[in-house]
Amino acid sequence: MEIQELYHLLFETYAGIGILVGAGIVLSLIACVIFEFRTRKIYKNHVPDPEDDEWSLLDDVLEGEEEEEQHEAAKKKAAQ
């Protein structure tokens, strides 16, 4: 496939424009999830405001990680 054919497909047809839009959405979602994990890793000691009623897609995953960390800390204290 030549570059001209690829250009025509992506920029001059409805299917190609759909491919570009879909790829942009998928890449944006992947970047958002990566940045969300990095931010939560950096600010893991941040306590959210109890009056703040926001929700997150990753709450369940992070709650499991926090419980594992608490269990590990308790095991270390018990071993000492």
Side-chain angles (χ1 to χ4, degrees), residues 14-31:
Y14 287 118
I17 293 171
I19 291 170
L20 290 173
V21 170
I25 291 171
V26 168
L27 290 175
S28 296
L29 287 173
I30 290 171

Side-chain angles (χ1 to χ4, degrees), residues 31-46 58 62:
C32 289
V33 169
I34 290 170
F35 292 140
E36 179 74 17
F37 273 120
R38 286 186 179 177
T39 302
R40 287 182 183 240
K41 187 175 181 181
I42 292 171
Y43 298 107
K44 65 182 174 184
N45 294 331
H46 177 71
L58 306 174
L62 295 175

Side-chain angles (χ1 to χ4, degrees), residues 43-80:
Y43 298 107
K44 65 182 174 184
N45 294 331
H46 177 71
V47 179
D49 186 15
E51 294 177 6
D52 194 11
D53 193 23
E54 291 186 23
W55 60 274
S56 173
L57 295 174
L58 306 174
D59 279 340
D60 296 335
V61 173
L62 295 175
E63 286 175 3
E65 290 176 1
E66 290 173 0
E67 289 175 4
E68 289 176 11
E69 290 175 1
Q70 290 173 356
H71 287 295
E72 289 176 13
K75 285 181 184 178
K76 287 181 183 178
K77 286 183 180 179
Q80 293 176 355

